Amino acid sequence: MSDFTMNTGADGVAVITWDVPEKSMNVMSMEAWPQLESLVDEALADEAVKGIVITSGKDSFAGGMDLNVIAKMKESAGDDPARGLFEGLMSAHGILRKIERAGMDAKTNKGGKPIAAALPGTALGIGFEIPLACHRIFCSPNPKAKIGLPEIMVGIFPGMGGTTRLVRKMGAMAASPFLLEGKLSAPVQAQKAGLIDEVVADPVAAAKEWVLNATDADILKPWDAKGYKMPGGAPYHPAGFMTFVGASAMVNGKTKGVYPAAKALLSAVYEGALVPFDTALKIEARWFTNVLMNPSSGAMIRSLFINKEALEKGAVRPADVPDQTVGKVGILGAGMMGAGIALVSAQAGIEVVLLDQKQEAADRGKAHTEAHAQKGVQRKKVSEEQAQQMVDRITATTDYDALKGCDLIIEAVFEDPKIKAEVTRAVDAVTDADCIFATNTSTLPISELAKASKNPEQFIGIHFFSPVEKMLLVEIIKGKETGNRAVAKALDFVRQIRKTPIVVNDARFFYANRCIIPYINEGIRMVKEGVAPALIENAAKMVGMPLGPLQLVDETSIDLGAKIARATKAGMGDAYPDGEVDEVIFWMEEQGRLGRKAKAGFYDYDDKGKRSGLSEVVKAQYPQAEDQPDLIDVQHRLLFVQSLEAVRALEEGVLEDIREGDVGAILGWGFAPWSGGPLSWLDMIGSPYAAERCDQLEAAFGARFHCPDLLREMAGKTQSFYGRFGGQTADAA
């Protein structure tokens, strides 16, 4: 069956309908391009056809490009994948340019047929680039629909004409949020921004009416008209010059130069603005090819698009367990974490019982959802009725009997094993026999906590990241006795609240914290060594970390770090490796420099809690050495100390799937997203070099950089993680 079909009515309007079989949303495949071109050619050649409407047979228009298209383009030129990509892109540009010119005379710009896009809903990526090539865009008023070009979020940029057309349509400044930030808009907002032309109840009918009445002037794109001037000014215009200078500074300020797509996009826009439109498309294709050939883009696409989507769709869910959709969830503890979990659960339409020791605490937890709902009303994200329905789903109480009928309990009380054991037993006394019990903990061993439960096979860890409503990752931890139904229940719940799950096995600090704590500790260790704090922080940001290790520990609180250090030392005894770090942490604790909350930490803060600079007090206590290390050495210490923990987690069976290692690292603590994650980064630099660098770092800085046996073995065979494991588990491979 074809993805595109055409029907010409008695009114002379040819309606081309995009409807990919057995897909909930249209995606553009390699095979679909010639289908679209053939139908456009047929309609343009048919004298009975007065105009064309391109629409969808689904409730959305399209969700983007099938990524197999990129792979097939690369393969089409044999040993020259770059040429295959460029030629494939130029072929697609030719089809969209054919739609745009619509058969009009090259000299007079007359005689073309009007072509309109009628969008029933969401139009993303190529699903918006096709409409941009049409002469007018109509869209239904569906408030849940999203219009835009989100490619930059997964390491590429709009490379099928979207970049060039949007800039020429809106100007570089107005287009920048949609290109450089991947901003998506609902139809009404998209119309106000100038992305689309009309929002109507019946976009197909409106599009038909328009094409039957459109004139030659209506279908001539501004950039094809004589005397066209770019809105806001071209680069050689005084106003345009300042726009591009500012844009360059903004992009480099935000990306620190480590995201190739942002720089390539800006280059395509700048260079394309200096030349005629068709040459600009060729420039866009060249820069897009450049990005697609960069290993960073491939790694980002794999982790942030392919693997993230696979995990969200249940790639690691036990296949033999029936649907475990949560109907009623009980949340124990109405503090910041419990209140956040209650909020996202209520947003998902789940009935919530929010329980705390004191009624006023439970009410405060529910008030968090009320405040969030009202913000949604003010921003016109939800109606008053929807906001009230969300709040009404939450019952704030102190009564354990209210938990009856819950099929999932999430305990979010203090990180104290005794308190957690007490509430576990109290819940067991009132809940049904098949109720799953989840503990929200970031450090305490799940298998030990499960001993308080009468059903350890129904006991599981669900580690949320703070703030719950903003963080995308949820870490699910299996104890030694956790059964498959508990895992399935946790995964189905995470799917309901629209977050991305990873499933790991029980071990000290699980996965996320076992990687992020060494990152923080390495930064603190360097402070003690006399490395300039500014060098530490900037080295981290320049390699793609969202926060430097010193700012991160200030944000999470230094006394929490001290508490974790004491507990870890007590648990590990003589094997504890971080005594040098503790000296700094405990001194900071004694000085009352507990981080942002105390308005004093590794940074100083003003009265409003805003950072005012790195602390001179800390610099005085730990003077800077006269000789400072190279930037690369600092960056390698910060990246390797995290990446080696990821390898050890895989080696020890804490991680069962390398996809979870990379996706979890990026979404959980922001590990250099440009790299695709710690395991992808090691693949990027190559296992032989990674093992060699481990030896150098171990000799210079200690055993924490010792090369794991798995990495050493892979280096000997010149293997990569994705080459060896792919989407499989370490055991299976």
mmCIF file of all heavy atoms in Angstrom, residues 384-419:
data_model
loop_
_atom_site.group_PDB
_atom_site.id
_atom_site.type_symbol
_atom_site.label_atom_id
_atom_site.label_comp_id
_atom_site.label_asym_id
_atom_site.label_seq_id
_atom_site.Cartn_x
_atom_site.Cartn_y
_atom_site.Cartn_z
ATOM 1 N N GLU A 384 -10.183 25.923 33.903
ATOM 2 C CA GLU A 384 -10.484 25.904 35.341
ATOM 3 C C GLU A 384 -11.059 24.543 35.743
ATOM 4 O O GLU A 384 -10.724 23.994 36.796
ATOM 5 C CB GLU A 384 -11.479 27.017 35.680
ATOM 6 C CG GLU A 384 -10.899 28.417 35.712
ATOM 7 C CD GLU A 384 -10.182 28.723 37.026
ATOM 8 O OE1 GLU A 384 -10.048 27.803 37.858
ATOM 9 O OE2 GLU A 384 -9.749 29.876 37.203
ATOM 10 N N GLU A 385 -11.904 24.015 34.890
ATOM 11 C CA GLU A 385 -12.529 22.721 35.177
ATOM 12 C C GLU A 385 -11.488 21.605 35.226
ATOM 13 O O GLU A 385 -11.496 20.766 36.134
ATOM 14 C CB GLU A 385 -13.579 22.406 34.109
ATOM 15 C CG GLU A 385 -14.335 21.101 34.366
ATOM 16 C CD GLU A 385 -15.347 20.797 33.268
ATOM 17 O OE1 GLU A 385 -15.431 21.578 32.298
ATOM 18 O OE2 GLU A 385 -16.036 19.764 33.382
ATOM 19 N N GLN A 386 -10.574 21.594 34.264
ATOM 20 C CA GLN A 386 -9.529 20.573 34.241
ATOM 21 C C GLN A 386 -8.613 20.692 35.452
ATOM 22 O O GLN A 386 -8.202 19.690 36.036
ATOM 23 C CB GLN A 386 -8.713 20.694 32.947
ATOM 24 C CG GLN A 386 -9.475 20.284 31.695
ATOM 25 C CD GLN A 386 -8.720 20.633 30.425
ATOM 26 O OE1 GLN A 386 -8.056 21.674 30.332
ATOM 27 N NE2 GLN A 386 -8.809 19.755 29.428
ATOM 28 N N ALA A 387 -8.301 21.940 35.827
ATOM 29 C CA ALA A 387 -7.443 22.164 36.987
ATOM 30 C C ALA A 387 -8.101 21.637 38.257
ATOM 31 O O ALA A 387 -7.453 20.985 39.083
ATOM 32 C CB ALA A 387 -7.134 23.649 37.125
ATOM 33 N N GLN A 388 -9.410 21.899 38.409
ATOM 34 C CA GLN A 388 -10.119 21.447 39.602
ATOM 35 C C GLN A 388 -10.222 19.923 39.637
ATOM 36 O O GLN A 388 -10.092 19.302 40.697
ATOM 37 C CB GLN A 388 -11.514 22.072 39.657
ATOM 38 C CG GLN A 388 -12.232 21.875 40.989
ATOM 39 C CD GLN A 388 -11.440 22.437 42.157
ATOM 40 O OE1 GLN A 388 -11.000 23.589 42.131
ATOM 41 N NE2 GLN A 388 -11.246 21.620 43.181
ATOM 42 N N GLN A 389 -10.427 19.319 38.477
ATOM 43 C CA GLN A 389 -10.492 17.858 38.402
ATOM 44 C C GLN A 389 -9.168 17.234 38.854
ATOM 45 O O GLN A 389 -9.152 16.222 39.561
ATOM 46 C CB GLN A 389 -10.817 17.417 36.976
ATOM 47 C CG GLN A 389 -12.259 17.666 36.568
ATOM 48 C CD GLN A 389 -12.499 17.370 35.099
ATOM 49 O OE1 GLN A 389 -11.561 17.181 34.315
ATOM 50 N NE2 GLN A 389 -13.769 17.337 34.694
ATOM 51 N N MET A 390 -8.065 17.873 38.460
ATOM 52 C CA MET A 390 -6.745 17.369 38.844
ATOM 53 C C MET A 390 -6.565 17.439 40.365
ATOM 54 O O MET A 390 -6.127 16.481 41.002
ATOM 55 C CB MET A 390 -5.649 18.177 38.142
ATOM 56 C CG MET A 390 -4.243 17.677 38.411
ATOM 57 S SD MET A 390 -3.038 18.373 37.254
ATOM 58 C CE MET A 390 -3.073 20.095 37.715
ATOM 59 N N VAL A 391 -6.936 18.558 40.954
ATOM 60 C CA VAL A 391 -6.815 18.734 42.405
ATOM 61 C C VAL A 391 -7.734 17.754 43.135
ATOM 62 O O VAL A 391 -7.351 17.156 44.154
ATOM 63 C CB VAL A 391 -7.136 20.186 42.802
ATOM 64 C CG1 VAL A 391 -7.171 20.333 44.325
ATOM 65 C CG2 VAL A 391 -6.109 21.141 42.199
ATOM 66 N N ASP A 392 -8.942 17.575 42.616
ATOM 67 C CA ASP A 392 -9.930 16.701 43.275
ATOM 68 C C ASP A 392 -9.514 15.231 43.282
ATOM 69 O O ASP A 392 -10.062 14.437 44.057
ATOM 70 C CB ASP A 392 -11.297 16.841 42.598
ATOM 71 C CG ASP A 392 -11.943 18.195 42.867
ATOM 72 O OD1 ASP A 392 -11.489 18.889 43.803
ATOM 73 O OD2 ASP A 392 -12.887 18.561 42.136
ATOM 74 N N ARG A 393 -8.565 14.867 42.416
ATOM 75 C CA ARG A 393 -8.112 13.469 42.400
ATOM 76 C C ARG A 393 -7.259 13.139 43.629
ATOM 77 O O ARG A 393 -6.991 11.972 43.903
ATOM 78 C CB ARG A 393 -7.294 13.192 41.134
ATOM 79 C CG ARG A 393 -8.118 13.215 39.858
ATOM 80 C CD ARG A 393 -7.316 12.752 38.652
ATOM 81 N NE ARG A 393 -8.079 12.992 37.434
ATOM 82 C CZ ARG A 393 -7.798 13.933 36.537
ATOM 83 N NH1 ARG A 393 -6.737 14.714 36.709
ATOM 84 N NH2 ARG A 393 -8.555 14.094 35.467
ATOM 85 N N ILE A 394 -6.818 14.152 44.358
ATOM 86 C CA ILE A 394 -5.921 13.938 45.495
ATOM 87 C C ILE A 394 -6.701 14.015 46.805
ATOM 88 O O ILE A 394 -7.381 15.006 47.076
ATOM 89 C CB ILE A 394 -4.787 14.980 45.512
ATOM 90 C CG1 ILE A 394 -3.972 14.901 44.217
ATOM 91 C CG2 ILE A 394 -3.876 14.767 46.725
ATOM 92 C CD1 ILE A 394 -2.902 15.962 44.092
ATOM 93 N N THR A 395 -6.577 12.978 47.606
ATOM 94 C CA THR A 395 -7.128 12.971 48.962
ATOM 95 C C THR A 395 -5.968 13.108 49.936
ATOM 96 O O THR A 395 -5.087 12.237 49.989
ATOM 97 C CB THR A 395 -7.882 11.657 49.249
ATOM 98 O OG1 THR A 395 -8.963 11.526 48.325
ATOM 99 C CG2 THR A 395 -8.417 11.639 50.680
ATOM 100 N N ALA A 396 -5.929 14.212 50.683
ATOM 101 C CA ALA A 396 -4.872 14.445 51.674
ATOM 102 C C ALA A 396 -5.366 13.950 53.027
ATOM 103 O O ALA A 396 -6.438 14.363 53.496
ATOM 104 C CB ALA A 396 -4.526 15.928 51.737
ATOM 105 N N THR A 397 -4.598 13.075 53.670
ATOM 106 C CA THR A 397 -5.103 12.430 54.881
ATOM 107 C C THR A 397 -3.968 11.970 55.786
ATOM 108 O O THR A 397 -2.796 11.936 55.377
ATOM 109 C CB THR A 397 -5.980 11.221 54.491
ATOM 110 O OG1 THR A 397 -6.537 10.632 55.667
ATOM 111 C CG2 THR A 397 -5.164 10.168 53.754
ATOM 112 N N THR A 398 -4.345 11.573 56.997
ATOM 113 C CA THR A 398 -3.418 10.917 57.937
ATOM 114 C C THR A 398 -3.843 9.482 58.207
ATOM 115 O O THR A 398 -3.196 8.778 58.978
ATOM 116 C CB THR A 398 -3.390 11.690 59.272
ATOM 117 O OG1 THR A 398 -4.721 11.673 59.839
ATOM 118 C CG2 THR A 398 -2.942 13.136 59.084
ATOM 119 N N ASP A 399 -4.907 9.070 57.574
ATOM 120 C CA ASP A 399 -5.547 7.784 57.871
ATOM 121 C C ASP A 399 -5.065 6.685 56.923
ATOM 122 O O ASP A 399 -5.326 6.722 55.720
ATOM 123 C CB ASP A 399 -7.067 7.945 57.753
ATOM 124 C CG ASP A 399 -7.817 6.683 58.156
ATOM 125 O OD1 ASP A 399 -7.165 5.717 58.618
ATOM 126 O OD2 ASP A 399 -9.051 6.670 57.995
ATOM 127 N N TYR A 400 -4.398 5.677 57.457
ATOM 128 C CA TYR A 400 -3.892 4.579 56.644
ATOM 129 C C TYR A 400 -5.025 3.790 55.987
ATOM 130 O O TYR A 400 -4.835 3.187 54.923
ATOM 131 C CB TYR A 400 -3.033 3.640 57.490
ATOM 132 C CG TYR A 400 -1.576 4.067 57.580
ATOM 133 C CD1 TYR A 400 -1.171 5.026 58.499
ATOM 134 C CD2 TYR A 400 -0.616 3.513 56.736
ATOM 135 C CE1 TYR A 400 0.159 5.417 58.585
ATOM 136 C CE2 TYR A 400 0.718 3.895 56.810
ATOM 137 C CZ TYR A 400 1.103 4.859 57.735
ATOM 138 O OH TYR A 400 2.417 5.245 57.802
ATOM 139 N N ASP A 401 -6.218 3.802 56.593
ATOM 140 C CA ASP A 401 -7.344 3.072 56.001
ATOM 141 C C ASP A 401 -7.712 3.615 54.623
ATOM 142 O O ASP A 401 -8.325 2.912 53.813
ATOM 143 C CB ASP A 401 -8.566 3.137 56.924
ATOM 144 C CG ASP A 401 -8.444 2.173 58.106
ATOM 145 O OD1 ASP A 401 -7.636 1.219 57.998
ATOM 146 O OD2 ASP A 401 -9.138 2.383 59.117
ATOM 147 N N ALA A 402 -7.349 4.885 54.363
ATOM 148 C CA ALA A 402 -7.640 5.491 53.058
ATOM 149 C C ALA A 402 -6.852 4.819 51.937
ATOM 150 O O ALA A 402 -7.172 4.989 50.754
ATOM 151 C CB ALA A 402 -7.334 6.988 53.085
ATOM 152 N N LEU A 403 -5.826 4.045 52.313
ATOM 153 C CA LEU A 403 -5.001 3.373 51.304
ATOM 154 C C LEU A 403 -5.652 2.108 50.758
ATOM 155 O O LEU A 403 -5.141 1.511 49.805
ATOM 156 C CB LEU A 403 -3.632 3.021 51.898
ATOM 157 C CG LEU A 403 -2.774 4.201 52.372
ATOM 158 C CD1 LEU A 403 -1.515 3.691 53.062
ATOM 159 C CD2 LEU A 403 -2.401 5.115 51.199
ATOM 160 N N LYS A 404 -6.761 1.697 51.359
ATOM 161 C CA LYS A 404 -7.456 0.507 50.873
ATOM 162 C C LYS A 404 -7.885 0.721 49.421
ATOM 163 O O LYS A 404 -8.425 1.767 49.075
ATOM 164 C CB LYS A 404 -8.667 0.205 51.747
ATOM 165 C CG LYS A 404 -8.304 -0.277 53.154
ATOM 166 C CD LYS A 404 -9.539 -0.507 54.013
ATOM 167 C CE LYS A 404 -9.154 -0.991 55.403
ATOM 168 N NZ LYS A 404 -10.346 -1.147 56.289
ATOM 169 N N GLY A 405 -7.653 -0.269 48.604
ATOM 170 C CA GLY A 405 -8.014 -0.160 47.192
ATOM 171 C C GLY A 405 -6.891 0.353 46.307
ATOM 172 O O GLY A 405 -7.013 0.339 45.081
ATOM 173 N N CYS A 406 -5.788 0.795 46.916
ATOM 174 C CA CYS A 406 -4.646 1.240 46.113
ATOM 175 C C CYS A 406 -3.963 0.016 45.494
ATOM 176 O O CYS A 406 -3.777 -1.006 46.156
ATOM 177 C CB CYS A 406 -3.628 1.987 46.978
ATOM 178 S SG CYS A 406 -4.158 3.630 47.512
ATOM 179 N N ASP A 407 -3.595 0.118 44.225
ATOM 180 C CA ASP A 407 -2.852 -0.986 43.613
ATOM 181 C C ASP A 407 -1.354 -0.698 43.555
ATOM 182 O O ASP A 407 -0.558 -1.566 43.193
ATOM 183 C CB ASP A 407 -3.396 -1.326 42.219
ATOM 184 C CG ASP A 407 -3.577 -0.121 41.330
ATOM 185 O OD1 ASP A 407 -4.019 0.934 41.819
ATOM 186 O OD2 ASP A 407 -3.299 -0.230 40.126
ATOM 187 N N LEU A 408 -0.976 0.529 43.927
ATOM 188 C CA LEU A 408 0.435 0.890 44.035
ATOM 189 C C LEU A 408 0.612 1.850 45.202
ATOM 190 O O LEU A 408 -0.146 2.814 45.344
ATOM 191 C CB LEU A 408 0.939 1.546 42.744
ATOM 192 C CG LEU A 408 2.376 2.083 42.773
ATOM 193 C CD1 LEU A 408 3.385 0.930 42.914
ATOM 194 C CD2 LEU A 408 2.687 2.908 41.519
ATOM 195 N N ILE A 409 1.603 1.572 46.038
ATOM 196 C CA ILE A 409 1.984 2.476 47.117
ATOM 197 C C ILE A 409 3.393 2.978 46.825
ATOM 198 O O ILE A 409 4.278 2.196 46.472
ATOM 199 C CB ILE A 409 1.988 1.757 48.492
ATOM 200 C CG1 ILE A 409 0.601 1.218 48.829
ATOM 201 C CG2 ILE A 409 2.501 2.698 49.586
ATOM 202 C CD1 ILE A 409 -0.445 2.272 49.101
ATOM 203 N N ILE A 410 3.592 4.290 46.957
ATOM 204 C CA ILE A 410 4.941 4.851 46.818
ATOM 205 C C ILE A 410 5.294 5.537 48.130
ATOM 206 O O ILE A 410 4.654 6.518 48.525
ATOM 207 C CB ILE A 410 5.033 5.857 45.651
ATOM 208 C CG1 ILE A 410 4.653 5.172 44.332
ATOM 209 C CG2 ILE A 410 6.442 6.440 45.563
ATOM 210 C CD1 ILE A 410 4.598 6.106 43.150
ATOM 211 N N GLU A 411 6.287 5.009 48.788
ATOM 212 C CA GLU A 411 6.725 5.562 50.074
ATOM 213 C C GLU A 411 7.821 6.585 49.812
ATOM 214 O O GLU A 411 8.818 6.293 49.136
ATOM 215 C CB GLU A 411 7.207 4.406 50.968
ATOM 216 C CG GLU A 411 7.998 4.822 52.183
ATOM 217 C CD GLU A 411 9.479 4.858 51.894
ATOM 218 O OE1 GLU A 411 10.040 3.819 51.546
ATOM 219 O OE2 GLU A 411 10.051 5.960 52.003
ATOM 220 N N ALA A 412 7.613 7.808 50.320
ATOM 221 C CA ALA A 412 8.581 8.895 50.118
ATOM 222 C C ALA A 412 8.857 9.603 51.445
ATOM 223 O O ALA A 412 8.818 10.831 51.530
ATOM 224 C CB ALA A 412 8.057 9.883 49.074
ATOM 225 N N VAL A 413 9.121 8.807 52.489
ATOM 226 C CA VAL A 413 9.408 9.388 53.805
ATOM 227 C C VAL A 413 10.914 9.588 53.938
ATOM 228 O O VAL A 413 11.674 9.398 52.990
ATOM 229 C CB VAL A 413 8.850 8.494 54.939
ATOM 230 C CG1 VAL A 413 7.345 8.327 54.776
ATOM 231 C CG2 VAL A 413 9.528 7.122 54.951
ATOM 232 N N PHE A 414 11.371 9.978 55.145
ATOM 233 C CA PHE A 414 12.778 10.282 55.363
ATOM 234 C C PHE A 414 13.673 9.084 55.027
ATOM 235 O O PHE A 414 13.276 7.930 55.170
ATOM 236 C CB PHE A 414 13.018 10.694 56.813
ATOM 237 C CG PHE A 414 12.355 11.996 57.169
ATOM 238 C CD1 PHE A 414 11.321 12.025 58.093
ATOM 239 C CD2 PHE A 414 12.760 13.186 56.590
ATOM 240 C CE1 PHE A 414 10.695 13.216 58.425
ATOM 241 C CE2 PHE A 414 12.151 14.386 56.912
ATOM 242 C CZ PHE A 414 11.108 14.397 57.836
ATOM 243 N N GLU A 415 14.909 9.391 54.621
ATOM 244 C CA GLU A 415 15.887 8.350 54.284
ATOM 245 C C GLU A 415 16.418 7.697 55.556
ATOM 246 O O GLU A 415 17.611 7.806 55.888
ATOM 247 C CB GLU A 415 17.034 8.959 53.464
ATOM 248 C CG GLU A 415 16.669 9.335 52.051
ATOM 249 C CD GLU A 415 16.626 8.128 51.117
ATOM 250 O OE1 GLU A 415 15.549 7.511 51.001
ATOM 251 O OE2 GLU A 415 17.646 7.793 50.514
ATOM 252 N N ASP A 416 15.535 7.037 56.266
ATOM 253 C CA ASP A 416 15.876 6.363 57.514
ATOM 254 C C ASP A 416 15.272 4.956 57.450
ATOM 255 O O ASP A 416 14.046 4.808 57.394
ATOM 256 C CB ASP A 416 15.318 7.139 58.705
ATOM 257 C CG ASP A 416 15.715 6.536 60.040
ATOM 258 O OD1 ASP A 416 15.704 5.290 60.164
ATOM 259 O OD2 ASP A 416 16.008 7.300 60.972
ATOM 260 N N PRO A 417 16.106 3.909 57.477
ATOM 261 C CA PRO A 417 15.586 2.538 57.341
ATOM 262 C C PRO A 417 14.521 2.185 58.372
ATOM 263 O O PRO A 417 13.563 1.465 58.052
ATOM 264 C CB PRO A 417 16.838 1.670 57.519
ATOM 265 C CG PRO A 417 17.977 2.562 57.135
ATOM 266 C CD PRO A 417 17.572 3.936 57.570
ATOM 267 N N LYS A 418 14.654 2.691 59.600
ATOM 268 C CA LYS A 418 13.688 2.373 60.646
ATOM 269 C C LYS A 418 12.317 2.966 60.330
ATOM 270 O O LYS A 418 11.289 2.297 60.471
ATOM 271 C CB LYS A 418 14.191 2.872 61.996
ATOM 272 C CG LYS A 418 15.403 2.118 62.517
ATOM 273 C CD LYS A 418 15.830 2.644 63.885
ATOM 274 C CE LYS A 418 17.056 1.880 64.403
ATOM 275 N NZ LYS A 418 17.511 2.421 65.718
ATOM 276 N N ILE A 419 12.306 4.229 59.911
ATOM 277 C CA ILE A 419 11.030 4.877 59.579
ATOM 278 C C ILE A 419 10.390 4.186 58.374
ATOM 279 O O ILE A 419 9.181 3.933 58.342
ATOM 280 C CB ILE A 419 11.246 6.377 59.291
ATOM 281 C CG1 ILE A 419 11.748 7.090 60.557
ATOM 282 C CG2 ILE A 419 9.957 7.027 58.790
ATOM 283 C CD1 ILE A 419 12.102 8.544 60.345
#
